[in-house]
């Protein structure tokens, strides 16, 4: 997931279906997110970038470093200040739905059914050739390209259904706090644990008024329930994000060796490392845990109050903006260190 200076945001989820997943090296979903954000200044242009790259290079490859093989196809939630799109893929084939109203989410399954606003030109014909669609029945992308019974899709107890339920519950009154609360929800499976732990979370506020800044909140750490959402606003001469920059990994001729990335490099940035140490305290010392989590909540509450003030007063202090995210990360690290040093 990520955002760019034009207010374009892209989130990416793994999906599987009838079309076979290739473990041959191609573009990963994360590559497509980055390239879409690098090259597009609107949501629909980002969609164009992604589908053009899919057509030219395909998707595939191992999405996991180290020994485990883990490959999948991808779905994308793409938004800017004015519009939002869902893009879902099966190999090089794809369908896109423009979000016209209400709430919309993606989560580990194809979810575009009969409302298809753009599509791969051969997507229906390919499905017909494979025997997945008879050519006369109304075309349903999720039902055709996966094994989902779309009639039951909104009542099954999965992450997609639960995410939609939580969003729909707050429809018309969704705030930053609402989104953070949903991303922190563990019973729904949205906030994942175990081997597929939620590694980072993001919430973006994209005002339709172009005189107001887009504000992006990032945790930069796993488990949003025990993380701080820190604000970032694009501005000229932004301070370096040293506490959340992963170390550069030097490989010896990585592209001449196959298979690549058999080693498992340590990519933890300073904030991540301090967060992991803090979790040990949270898990083992109840009183320290309460103090630490309370301080984290206070910091987040103050940060959101500051951002709300910017949106209401339409005033940006550029000197503060360039240090906004780096300073928030430092404040979070200080909370961890002060509690650990006195433990």
């Amino acid at each position: 997931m990520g955002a760019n200076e034009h207010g374009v945001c892209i989130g990416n989820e793994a999906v599987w279906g009838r079309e076979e997943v290739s473990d041959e090296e191609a573009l990963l979903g994360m590559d497509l997110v980055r390239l879409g954000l690098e090259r597009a200044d609107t949501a629909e242009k980002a969609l164009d970038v992604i589908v053009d790259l899919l057509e030219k290079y395909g998707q595939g490859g191992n999405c996991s470093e180290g020994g485990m093989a883990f490959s999948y196809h991808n779905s994308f939630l793409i938004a800017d200040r004015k519009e939002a799109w869902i893009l879902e893929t099966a190999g090089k084939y794809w369908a896109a739905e423009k979000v016209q109203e209400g709430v919309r989410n993606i989560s580990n399954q194809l979810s575009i059914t009969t409302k298809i606003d753009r599509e791969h030109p051969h997507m229906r014909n390919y499905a017909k050739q494979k025997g997945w669609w008879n050519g006369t029945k109304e075309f349903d992308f999720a039902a055709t390209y996966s094994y989902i019974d779309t009639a039951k899709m909104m009542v099954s107890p999965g992450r997609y259904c639960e995410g939609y339920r939580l969003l729909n519950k707050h429809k018309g009154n969704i705030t930053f706090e609402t989104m953070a609360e949903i991303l922190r929800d563990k019973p729904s499976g949205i906030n994942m644990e175990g081997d597929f732990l939620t590694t980072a979370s993001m919430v973006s506020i994209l005002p339709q008024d172009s005189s107001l800044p887009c504000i992006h909140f990032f945790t930069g750490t796993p488990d949003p329930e025990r993380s701080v959402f820190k604000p970032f606003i694009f501005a000229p001469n932004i301070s370096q994000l040293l506490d959340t920059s992963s170390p550069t990994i030097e490989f010896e001729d990585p592209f001449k060796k196959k298979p690549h990335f058999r080693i498992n490099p340590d990519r933890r940035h300073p904030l991540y490392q301090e967060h992991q140490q803090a979790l040990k305290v949270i898990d083992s010392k109840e009183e320290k845990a309460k103090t630490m989590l309370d301080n984290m909540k206070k910091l987040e509450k103050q940060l959101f109050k500051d951002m709300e003030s910017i949106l209401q007063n339409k005033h940006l202090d550029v000197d503060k903006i360039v240090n906004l995210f780096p300073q928030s990360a430092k404040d979070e690290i200080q909370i961890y260190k002060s509690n650990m040093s006195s433990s």
Side-chain angles (χ1 to χ4, degrees):
M1 65 208 166
N4 69 18
E5 71 274 27
H6 304 292
V8 178
C9 299
I10 309 178
N12 160 237
E13 287 273 359
V15 292
W16 295 267
R18 286 188 166 121
E19 184 68 353
E20 192 175 336
V21 176
S22 171
D23 58 4
E24 291 296 311
E25 288 188 8
L27 291 172
L28 304 176
M30 292 80 82
D31 296 325
L32 294 166
V33 168
R34 285 190 287 268
L35 290 162
L37 291 171
E38 177 190 79
R39 301 177 183 186
D41 59 4
T42 70
E44 191 167 11
K45 283 182 187 173
L47 188 154
D48 290 336
V49 168
I50 292 171
V51 299
D52 288 348
L53 288 166
L54 268 182
E55 184 68 30
K56 192 170 182 182
Y57 300 106
Q59 62 179 318
N62 192 359
C63 303
S64 172
E65 287 183 320
M68 184 175 76
F70 183 55
S71 300
Y72 48 78
H73 292 151
N74 296 274
S75 68
F76 304 89
L77 175 57
I78 310 171
D80 61 24
R81 291 177 186 266
K82 295 182 178 175
E83 63 182 25
W85 288 83
I86 305 295
L87 169 63
E88 298 187 334
T89 70
K92 71 174 184 177
Y93 300 99
W94 56 272
E97 174 191 341
K98 189 173 183 180
V99 182
Q100 309 284 159
E101 61 183 359
V103 297
R104 191 67 166 81
N105 63 313
I106 59 172
S107 196
N108 299 131
Q109 66 182 61
L110 296 180
S111 63
I112 294 174
T113 57
T114 56
K115 185 185 182 302
I116 300 172
D117 296 298
R118 291 184 55 185
E119 63 188 73
H120 188 285
H122 305 302
M123 181 259 289
R124 295 181 194 229
N125 194 43
Y126 179 76
K128 198 173 172 183
Q129 288 172 4
K130 298 288 279 187
W132 300 338
W133 178 55
N134 62 15
T136 55
K137 186 181 176 184
E138 184 180 25
F139 188 85
D140 180 321
F141 181 72
T144 303
Y145 274 86
S146 65
Y147 305 98
I148 292 170
D149 179 346
T150 53
K152 297 178 181 175
M153 191 162 67
M154 296 312 297
V155 292
S156 62
R159 292 177 81 218
Y160 173 75
C161 180
E162 288 299 302
Y164 182 82
R165 182 184 63 77
L166 289 167
L167 286 168
N168 208 44
K169 179 181 169 185
H170 299 281
K171 188 165 70 174
N173 189 33
I174 293 177
T175 63
F176 159 77
E177 291 100 331
T178 309
M179 288 306 303
E181 187 181 329
I182 290 171
L183 291 174
R184 285 170 167 150
D185 192 87
K186 287 188 175 174
S188 65
I190 291 169
N191 184 5
M192 296 177 74
E193 299 182 277
D195 290 340
F196 290 96
L197 174 74
T198 293
T199 50
S201 303
M202 166 185 167
V203 175
S204 289
I205 300 172
L206 309 176
Q208 289 188 309
D209 180 349
S210 60
S211 69
L212 296 173
C214 293
I215 303 176
H216 312 283
F217 292 86
F218 300 95
T219 61
T221 52
D223 189 352
E225 191 179 33
R226 304 192 290 184
S227 296
V228 176
F229 280 91
K230 298 167 286 297
F232 178 94
I233 297 174
F234 281 93
N237 307 313
I238 202 109
S239 297
Q240 282 188 288
L241 311 181
L242 299 176
D243 288 321
T244 49
S245 294
S246 293
T248 302
I249 310 295
E250 295 284 342
F251 291 105
E252 183 186 344
D253 294 322
F255 297 106
K256 292 180 182 176
K257 294 183 178 181
K258 288 194 175 185
H260 306 327
F261 307 125
R262 271 297 166 92
I263 60 169
N264 197 6
D266 184 355
R267 299 191 187 278
R268 295 175 304 160
H269 49 66
L271 173 64
Y272 195 109
Q273 291 185 25
E274 293 293 343
H275 180 263
Q276 283 195 314
Q277 289 299 316
L279 288 188
K280 291 177 185 175
V281 174
I282 289 174
D283 289 335
S284 62
K285 300 188 178 180
E286 194 175 326
E287 197 174 318
K288 290 283 177 194
K290 187 178 183 315
T291 303
M292 196 182 299
L293 290 167
D294 283 349
N295 287 338
M296 289 163 70
K297 280 178 187 171
K298 279 180 194 168
L299 171 61
E300 184 179 277
K301 198 170 182 181
Q302 185 58 51
L303 289 169
F304 182 63
K305 196 175 171 185
D306 293 344
M307 296 308 100
E308 206 169 37
S309 174
I310 287 172
L311 294 173
Q312 286 175 354
N313 302 326
K314 299 188 177 184
H315 175 68
L316 270 180
D317 183 333
V318 178
D319 291 336
K320 282 187 178 178
I321 294 307
V322 295
N323 289 305
L324 180 61
F325 188 87
Q327 187 57 53
S328 303
K330 285 188 188 308
D331 292 342
E332 185 179 355
I333 287 172
Q334 189 52 46
I335 290 171
Y336 298 147
K337 284 186 171 176
S338 63
N339 281 276
M340 286 186 288
S341 62
S342 58
S343 61

